[in-house]
Amino acid sequence: MTSFESRAADWLSFEDALSRIMAVARPLPSERVELLDALGMALAADVTSNVDLPPWDNSAMDGYAVRGEDVSGATPEAPKVLRVQGVVLSGTHQAPAIGPGDAVRIMTGAPVPSGADSVIRVEDTDREETSGQVRIFSDRDANWNVRPRSQDLRRGELAIPRGASLSPGYLSVLSAFGLTHVEVHRKPVVAIVTSGDELVGPEDYAKAAAGQAIPDTNRTALVGLVLAAGCRPRFLGIARDTVSSVRSHLVSGLKDDVLITVGGASMGEADLFKRVLDELGYQPEFWRVRMRPGTPFGFGLLPRTASPRPLPVFGLPGNPASAFVTFEMFVRPFLLRLAGHRKIHRLLLRAIADEPLRSKPVDMHLLRVRLELREGRWHARSTGPQGSGLIQSLGKADGLAILPDGVGVIQEGGAVDVIVVREGPGWLDDPGFGHHER
């Protein structure tokens, strides 16, 4: 027997396993891409501002630029009357100076005249009913509504740090600097291999419908998870239960940045990934973790002559819930670090258990739960049966509730930490979110 096939289980804690994985995660080289193509990618170098933003003191609203002391005490019964010295439109680069008793009509974004420290909103004026003068009915805007030069960013100031994930807001900042291209870390290409003679893809679904095969749901889930992590999936197909098929599929993934195998990593006669990986020179970091679902999970490196970087190989269990959870807990943070992101972990929130959450009091358990926000507090409820072979609970899950090693139950009303895994735009506003059937 080869070394990986005969290797005893390491049984690492989740923390130790993740630490070993992240110890070999190094960001991929950078590339220069068009600004909009960089959405969701990680910035490869600090970006400093090349301008002052805003470039001048400007008005925060339409109204009249004045000196605050000239409008102090203004009321509808005792308005302050000022001389109007002109109009400053948006896009104008200069404005007339004002002195005591003066006002200048001004538009939002226009430069504030020298001498002015306030902009009175137009609603608090008579809109120049008398030519050449304006009456001010309130002093609530005295010393307000002037946006000072460089209030947002000063020339030479750090605007976006290296490793930041480029959101639409950050792209807006970059466009303010006149940038059309930006240097970002390359998106990892992730090869995915599922395995098993019992599996069929959509092209052979008739066999599954006839009860002669099992649909390969892991393929779709993992491709979706890789895409959601901002990476590029490459599905290599279903490896059949022969050494030649497994070898062919693994070799076809050697050129990629990460290889994910699904199933075939336990101790059965048809679990061939271990044998073939050994033949290819695989260097296992560990096999088996104290986490459920997902115990038969492994990670290691595969040397390759075509690249100075060994190929990271993640061996995911074949049960759908186990594959999903191990991807979320181990593969996703690794991919995000590989893609250069600084923030690599999911949101963790504290919730109230709306029912008893149970598990065996050995190993860390991650239960699929629904989340609901009520009166400012998050509440968690199980998605239903938690078997590792079940898939419906994955679609219903908003998060993974953590039951630490040694904890067999969190009673109703107790506090529970939940890792948020729900993807998609507007999930907090989804009409179904927080209003699940019970």
Side-chain angles (χ1 to χ4, degrees):
M1 296 175 68
T2 52
S3 59
F4 190 18
E5 282 190 282
S6 60
R7 179 181 178 126
D10 295 280
W11 291 113
L12 297 185
S13 68
F14 163 73
E15 293 79 8
D16 286 345
L18 182 61
S19 177
R20 291 199 193 186
I21 290 170
M22 298 310 299
V24 300
R26 292 180 291 121
L28 296 174
S30 65
E31 60 182 359
R32 188 171 175 80
V33 303
E34 291 189 7
L35 198 58
L36 290 178
D37 290 337
L39 181 64
M41 299 179 76
L43 195 63
D46 291 344
V47 172
T48 57
S49 177
N50 58 7
V51 293
D52 289 331
L53 291 176
W56 52 70
D57 294 352
N58 71 94
S59 175
M61 61 176 53
D62 294 341
Y64 289 86
V66 303
R67 302 192 319 158
E69 61 189 283
D70 289 342
V71 299
S72 178
T75 66
E77 296 76 22
K80 300 293 183 177
V81 181
L82 304 178
R83 299 178 298 273
V84 178
Q85 301 297 339
V87 178
V88 184
L89 303 176
S90 301
T92 302
H93 300 297
Q94 293 182 339
I98 68 169
D102 290 340
V104 169
R105 189 177 179 188
I106 193 167
M107 307 303 163
T108 303
V112 174
S114 174
D117 59 15
S118 313
V119 175
I120 307 301
R121 68 192 70 188
V122 70
E123 299 97 306
D124 289 343
T125 75
D126 68 351
R127 294 173 169 83
E128 300 177 55
E129 287 182 357
T130 302
S131 178
Q133 66 180 32
V134 63
R135 291 192 299 168
I136 308 297
F137 299 126
S138 173
D139 62 0
R140 62 175 171 167
D141 288 334
N143 302 305
W144 283 95
N145 300 328
V146 174
R147 298 182 291 211
R149 176 178 178 173
S150 69
Q151 180 186 39
D152 197 355
L153 281 168
R154 189 177 301 278
R155 186 189 298 268
E157 181 182 350
L158 176 65
I160 310 177
R162 174 173 57 90
S165 304
L166 292 178
S167 63
Y170 271 146
L171 294 186
S172 174
V173 174
L174 295 173
S175 69
F177 304 150
L179 298 178
T180 59
H181 292 73
V182 65
E183 198 76 15
V184 292
H185 288 284
R186 180 171 63 78
K187 292 182 178 182
V189 179
V190 183
I192 301 167
V193 182
T194 55
S195 65
D197 284 344
E198 74 280 9
L199 299 180
V200 293
E203 64 280 1
D204 293 321
Y205 186 75
K207 294 181 180 178
Q212 300 170 355
I214 298 173
D216 185 10
T217 58
N218 280 327
R219 167 200 318 206
T220 309
L222 288 169
V223 167
L225 287 166
V226 169
L227 286 170
C231 302
R232 297 188 174 101
R234 196 167 76 89
F235 181 62
L236 304 182
I238 301 171
R240 297 306 172 186
D241 293 332
T242 66
V243 169
S244 61
S245 178
V246 170
R247 182 186 296 110
S248 173
H249 283 79
L250 294 183
V251 168
S252 67
L254 289 177
K255 64 181 180 181
D256 298 313
D257 299 306
V258 174
L259 175 61
I260 296 175
T261 67
V262 188
S266 190
M267 300 300 291
E269 290 184 7
D271 293 338
L272 301 175
F273 279 130
K274 285 183 176 183
R275 182 185 308 176
V276 177
L277 284 170
D278 266 340
E279 294 174 357
L280 296 174
Y282 179 69
Q283 300 169 355
E285 289 288 330
F286 64 87
W287 176 58
R288 286 197 180 274
V289 293
R290 296 191 178 278
M291 183 183 84
R292 297 171 187 267
T295 295
F297 170 84
F299 173 73
L301 301 174
L302 192 58
R304 44 187 176 176
T305 57
S307 172
R309 297 173 68 118
L311 178 65
V313 180
F314 291 88
L316 274 57
N319 282 321
S322 299
F324 178 92
V325 169
T326 52
F327 182 97
E328 279 288 339
M329 302 301 289
F330 296 118
V331 186
R332 186 178 186 276
F334 182 87
L335 294 181
L336 291 177
R337 180 59 53 79
L338 215 63
H341 296 277
R342 297 177 68 188
K343 296 182 178 181
I344 61 173
H345 296 296
R346 292 283 201 183
L347 174 68
L348 180 71
L349 57 82
R350 178 63 61 91
I352 299 170
D354 272 358
E355 63 183 6
L357 300 176
R358 302 182 185 278
S359 69
K360 294 182 179 179
V362 291
D363 301 335
M364 180 178 78
H365 282 247
L366 295 160
L367 306 183
R368 282 89 75 195
V369 295
R370 295 163 166 171
L371 290 170
E372 180 180 351
L373 186 61
R374 298 199 307 268
E375 299 179 353
R377 299 291 301 274
W378 287 103
H379 293 253
R381 177 178 291 270
S382 169
T383 59
Q386 296 287 308
S388 60
L390 306 178
I391 62 173
Q392 189 180 21
S393 61
L394 299 178
K396 294 179 178 178
D398 300 316
L400 300 174
I402 303 172
L403 273 67
D405 186 7
V407 176
V409 61
I410 295 177
Q411 297 291 355
E412 181 177 352
V416 59
D417 288 330
V418 179
I419 302 166
V420 178
V421 299
R422 173 68 67 186
E423 295 281 2
W427 69 277
L428 283 172
D429 300 321
D430 188 324
F433 184 78
H435 301 281
H436 301 292
E437 295 179 2
R438 297 181 178 175

